[in-house]
Amino acid sequence: MAMISRGSKRVYIEGDDLDSLTALPISVKHQIQERLSMEEAARMSILSRPWRLVWSSIPKLVFSSQFCQRKPLIDVIDTILLQHNAAIKTFLLDISSIPPPKHSVIDQWMLLLSRNGIMYLTLQNLQNAAPYILPSCMYDVELESLCLANCIFKPPCSFRGFHKLKSLSLIKVVLLLDNDIAASFLWMPYLVILQVNACSGFPNAKIYAPRLSQVYFLTRRSETLDLGHYMDCRKLKAVRLVSSKENQEKAVNLTYLLNCWSEIHDFAMDSYYLKSFATEAERLLAYLNSLKVMTLYEFDFDDEDQTFSLLRMLIISPNLNDLRLVLSSKKRNVGMEVNVVNHFEGPSYRTLGVLKLESLKVKNFHGSRTEMLFVKFIFASAPSLLKSTIFIEDVESVDQSEYLKITKELMGFPRASPTLKMCMIGDASKLGILTQEGSFHHGM
């Protein structure tokens, strides 16, 4: 039986228990070690000789940022890889602490992995660290998942895509594509998830991915993203489009894209994409019957194009369940507005779009007249609304009497839903905020 000595954390395992652990199938032993840190998994190898074999054959190696703070890091990883005697299917490495003159050592590790069955590769690199150039040997590997951060993606001229890749995540990656590659489609027939965050050189990349289900584009550059390359991705379920404020002079026509993306379930976009949608929305050929969640970033109720685009999106989304608005954080002269037009009085707006809405979240709420009218419209038009969460922007700078006035007015709005619960949150950092990536993070 296992015993713990008093005043010590060391576990003593008697013969019968040790035998039962040793008798476990090798796949179960690997699962046990994969749930441990690299240090803990290494310590397990001292239990018995069979467990040493488990340690040297584990298919998943994770060298986290915490692990990579140790010295001498390169010697430690070299030793682990040299002692490994089986296929390495999953490999995660934080290369931030490895200086550029030593990047050739990483190249050697990549060459070893390319010959050893690697399927899931993640290379993490801090933003202020020197970018790492992914070596040519990795472009011939049949990867299923590739995640690169602060790296340089420079494939050989013969590269035509990862034919078995299912997930591709590029964060602050520089793509240096040969002219022949840029002119043709990258063949990724099994790709399901594509995430591109603040990359350069990507706008004109063409990807053939008929199974693509999730697309996340967060562009912060002066180039225009050509979404037309993804028109044939008719199985898209989740799309997130966010651009920098100073880029993209060319308007993006989302009408045809949304007509093609009929199965979209979760759609998020910022004010640029929404505004470009203003004059095109009326020409949509079909309703977005599958759309359940919609998130809008940097939304400005003072911009009529954005307001009309929002209303049109609500009209063509009859099954929408969750609406999330991250308002522009610019300061407003609340209470000093004049000649405010109520764009939410149209009868068509009260009969379509929000009948199945169950949740409304608004971040950076200022309490302007237009914002109040919108919330009033939603409350009066959504019979299925269960919860409304309003995050007041910079509550410390808001006069307490003004805060109470906003709260009292919101609480007094007529409600079509008898079960609606409204939550006013002043300190979003403690109780949760909608991030620009669109996920809702909970605190306490």
Side-chain angles (χ1 to χ4, degrees), residues 3-174:
M3 299 180 61
I4 302 179
S5 61
R6 180 171 298 179
S8 172
K9 295 183 179 180
R10 185 178 298 275
V11 179
Y12 298 96
I13 304 178
E14 295 186 356
D16 293 341
D17 292 323
L18 183 58
D19 289 341
S20 62
L21 285 173
T22 305
L24 291 172
I26 187 66
S27 59
V28 176
K29 294 177 184 177
H30 284 158
Q31 291 179 20
I32 292 174
Q33 292 207 331
E34 287 175 1
R35 285 166 170 76
L36 304 175
S37 66
M38 189 66 69
E39 297 90 337
E40 293 169 334
R43 293 191 192 105
M44 283 196 70
S45 65
I46 67 174
L47 288 176
S48 67
R49 183 170 298 177
W51 277 94
R52 296 177 194 171
L53 299 177
V54 175
W55 160 249
S56 61
S57 64
I58 186 172
K60 181 177 181 180
L61 296 179
V62 177
F63 300 101
S64 64
S65 57
Q66 181 178 0
F67 179 90
C68 290
Q69 297 302 318
R70 64 177 58 238
K71 305 288 184 180
L73 174 63
I74 292 177
D75 292 340
V76 171
I77 297 180
D78 266 338
T79 301
I80 292 175
L81 292 177
L82 287 174
Q83 292 180 353
H84 205 277
N85 57 18
I88 302 174
K89 297 184 180 298
T90 302
F91 188 83
L92 184 151
L93 171 65
D94 188 303
I95 62 178
S96 306
S97 60
I98 301 178
K102 297 292 184 179
H103 280 185
S104 59
V105 178
I106 307 176
D107 293 344
Q108 296 175 14
W109 297 340
M110 295 298 105
L111 180 60
L112 174 65
L113 293 173
S114 69
R115 299 172 176 175
N116 209 16
I118 184 67
M119 297 171 62
Y120 308 93
L121 175 64
T122 299
L123 296 178
Q124 300 174 341
N125 198 8
L126 292 178
Q127 184 175 356
N128 57 354
Y132 171 69
I133 303 176
L134 189 69
S136 58
C137 63
M138 295 309 300
Y139 297 97
D140 293 326
V141 179
E142 294 184 339
L143 294 171
E144 292 191 14
S145 176
L146 176 62
C147 179
L148 302 176
N150 193 20
C151 293
I152 296 178
F153 189 92
K154 187 180 181 180
C157 298
S158 59
F159 180 70
R160 290 297 179 268
F162 294 107
H163 294 179
K164 292 189 176 181
L165 198 68
K166 297 178 181 178
S167 176
L168 176 61
S169 177
L170 304 176
I171 304 171
K172 295 181 175 64
V173 170
V174 177

Side-chain angles (χ1 to χ4, degrees), residues 170-359:
L170 304 176
I171 304 171
K172 295 181 175 64
V173 170
V174 177
L175 284 85
L176 301 177
L177 303 180
D178 180 86
N179 290 334
D180 292 338
I181 298 177
S184 60
F185 278 86
L186 297 179
W187 190 268
M188 301 186 189
Y190 292 97
L191 190 66
V192 176
I193 301 174
L194 174 62
Q195 178 181 355
V196 180
N197 186 342
C199 295
S200 62
F202 190 86
N204 297 319
K206 304 174 183 177
I207 297 178
Y208 173 73
R211 303 188 184 188
L212 197 61
S213 176
Q214 301 176 38
V215 168
Y216 307 97
F217 286 121
L218 280 76
T219 58
R220 291 173 174 82
R221 43 172 172 62
S222 59
E223 302 164 311
T224 298
L225 180 65
D226 190 351
L227 293 171
H229 299 322
Y230 304 92
M231 187 173 294
D232 293 330
C233 301
R234 298 179 181 273
K235 294 186 178 181
L236 278 173
K237 298 291 192 300
V239 176
R240 185 163 293 119
L241 305 173
V242 180
S243 68
S244 62
K245 298 179 181 178
E246 65 275 2
N247 75 348
Q248 311 248 9
E249 295 181 358
K250 180 182 177 182
V252 176
N253 188 337
L254 290 177
T255 301
Y256 299 110
L257 290 174
L258 289 175
N259 284 330
C260 295
W261 299 342
S262 59
E263 297 184 16
I264 191 169
H265 174 90
D266 185 341
F267 188 36
M269 57 182 166
D270 68 356
S271 56
Y272 165 75
Y273 289 101
L274 180 67
K275 195 170 183 177
S276 68
F277 183 62
T279 59
E280 300 290 339
E282 292 179 337
R283 298 192 301 193
L284 277 167
L285 301 178
Y287 286 92
L288 300 177
N289 292 317
S290 298
L291 187 61
K292 302 293 184 181
V293 181
M294 182 166 64
T295 305
L296 303 178
Y297 304 116
E298 291 297 319
F299 188 84
D300 186 356
F301 278 104
D302 292 336
D303 188 319
E304 290 190 350
D305 284 342
Q306 293 187 41
T307 300
F308 287 135
S309 295
L310 168 60
L311 290 172
R312 288 165 180 165
M313 286 295 294
L314 292 177
I315 290 175
I316 64 172
S317 308
N319 297 312
L320 189 68
N321 294 142
D322 190 345
L323 177 61
R324 308 174 183 185
L325 301 179
V326 182
L327 305 186
S328 172
S329 58
K330 65 181 181 181
K331 297 298 180 182
R332 306 171 188 275
N333 296 320
V334 177
M336 302 177 62
E337 304 101 326
V338 293
N339 299 324
V340 175
V341 179
N342 187 355
H343 297 293
F344 314 109
E345 290 183 329
S348 60
Y349 298 149
R350 294 187 180 277
T351 58
L352 293 173
V354 295
L355 294 180
K356 295 185 179 181
L357 191 68
E358 296 180 357
S359 175

Side-chain angles (χ1 to χ4, degrees), residues 301 340-345 350 365 367-381 409-410 413:
F301 278 104
V340 175
V341 179
N342 187 355
H343 297 293
F344 314 109
E345 290 183 329
R350 294 187 180 277
F365 192 81
S368 70
R369 198 70 243 144
T370 311
E371 293 171 4
M372 299 293 282
L373 290 172
F374 173 75
V375 175
K376 183 178 182 180
F377 153 67
I378 293 294
F379 281 11
S381 309
E409 186 173 356
L410 288 172
F413 285 157

